[in-house]
Amino acid sequence: MSLAVSVVIPAYNEGEAIISVLERIVEAVDSDVEVIVVVDFPEDTTVAAVESLRALDDRLRVVVNTYGRGPASAIRYGVDQVTNRVVVVTMADGSDDPRQIDALARLVDRGVVVAAASRYSSGGQQVGGPLLKGMLSRSAGRSLGTFGRVGTRDATNSFKAYSTEFIREVGIHSSSGFEIGLELTAKARRLRRPVAELPTIWLDREFGESKFELRAWIPKYLRWYRFAFGPRLTLEQVNRRAARIAALNNDPEGSAKLP
């Protein structure tokens, strides 16, 4: 029986640029795949492009996120729409290699809860992108992999496959940015659930502008980074502490306090 995989793609006004990304995905993936593109509002320019392709391939669909604007809410909404046991999150800009979706999904099918595409493991590479962002991401990924023993050297990469059951068990507490990949990796580590990685070559987007807001999102990433370190926790403890991190991340004045 073919492995069934749901691919979730958050998108924002990608227009016709999304077409080549989706075509590469459906051509590359051998698994029984559904591709869910998530936008924040019906007028998003991505919608018409996806609908034009859906007329030719009903494995593709676009949905409008009702959880609030931003990539974190879009990903959370998309994950809540899937019914397959494995979900892969990838970006709309074509920076990720869709030929790796099957391999990542198979790792989850074999029992890991998070399978990361790693730019910073042997054989991986990051081509292009802002220098400072790359340096911070590399430092965070390698230190978490070495000292936090999270199972991957690239916990911050959004291109990951997950056990759908695991996500629904631990929940997603991030509400902004792309920190979901780091959040779920940190939760898996504190629960001592298996995480694995495969090397990937990431290419900076050819068209449009990155939606990554470095200054606004660094403090949120740092809280999930710190959370990855520490002794094993129960599911109840993980959810309680994650809720506190979410409260801090959503508090612009920084008045919320962790115990």
Side-chain angles (χ1 to χ4, degrees):
M1 180 180 295
S2 176
L3 178 61
V5 179
S6 297
V7 177
V8 171
I9 306 174
Y12 179 79
N13 282 337
E14 295 290 340
E16 292 190 355
I18 194 74
I19 291 177
S20 61
V21 175
L22 296 177
E23 288 177 337
R24 284 197 293 268
I25 290 174
V26 296
E27 289 173 3
V29 177
D30 292 325
S31 303
D32 182 7
V33 67
E34 66 167 350
V35 181
I36 303 173
V37 180
V38 189
V39 299
D40 285 343
F41 48 93
E43 298 79 19
D44 189 295
T45 60
T46 314
V47 174
V50 178
E51 291 292 359
S52 68
L53 281 182
R54 179 173 171 78
L56 304 173
D57 191 334
D58 62 7
R59 294 175 295 178
L60 308 172
R61 62 185 171 115
V62 60
V63 297
V64 179
N65 161 35
T66 62
Y67 290 174
R69 295 199 173 188
S73 295
I75 293 169
R76 184 162 58 90
Y77 184 84
V79 169
D80 281 349
Q81 310 311 304
V82 310
T83 57
N84 293 324
R85 292 177 51 249
V86 181
V87 57
V88 176
V89 175
T90 186
M91 297 296 101
D93 57 13
S95 57
D96 301 322
D97 185 351
R99 295 172 299 178
Q100 295 186 288
I101 289 175
D102 283 321
L104 292 169
R106 282 194 294 271
L107 284 173
V108 175
D109 189 53
R110 290 174 57 192
V112 307
V113 297
V114 179
S118 173
R119 297 162 292 183
Y120 310 130
S121 60
S122 177
Q125 187 178 356
Q126 177 168 312
V127 180
L131 179 61
L132 178 59
K133 174 185 170 184
M135 291 174 59
L136 291 173
S137 174
R138 182 183 297 270
S139 297
R142 288 187 167 177
S143 59
L144 277 174
T146 301
F147 303 112
R149 300 177 65 187
V150 298
T152 174
R153 298 170 186 83
D154 198 355
T156 63
N157 194 0
S158 295
F159 186 25
K160 290 184 173 70
Y162 302 98
S163 159
T164 305
E165 180 181 8
F166 170 72
I167 294 181
R168 290 178 179 162
E169 183 181 17
V170 301
I172 292 174
H173 289 81
S174 298
S175 60
S176 63
F178 293 96
E179 69 263 25
I180 284 175
L182 177 55
E183 172 194 339
L184 292 173
T185 303
K187 287 178 175 178
R189 174 56 187 162
R190 297 304 298 272
L191 289 167
R192 300 302 189 259
R193 303 286 181 86
V195 175
E197 69 175 6
L198 294 172
T200 194
I201 297 178
W202 181 93
L203 303 177
D204 192 24
R205 65 181 297 148
E206 296 180 16
F207 305 101
E209 297 181 358
S210 170
K211 309 302 188 298
F212 191 91
E213 300 173 15
L214 190 64
R215 181 176 297 180
W217 292 346
I218 281 180
K220 301 177 181 182
Y221 274 77
L222 284 174
R223 292 186 180 105
W224 292 118
Y225 177 94
R226 292 195 296 267
F227 178 66
F229 293 87
R232 183 173 186 167
L233 299 177
T234 66
L235 179 61
E236 180 182 359
Q237 289 171 325
V238 164
N239 284 329
R240 185 165 61 244
R241 296 192 186 191
R244 292 171 185 155
I245 292 173
L248 281 168
N249 284 347
N250 291 328
D251 179 11
E253 301 301 324
S255 58
K257 300 296 182 183
L258 285 172

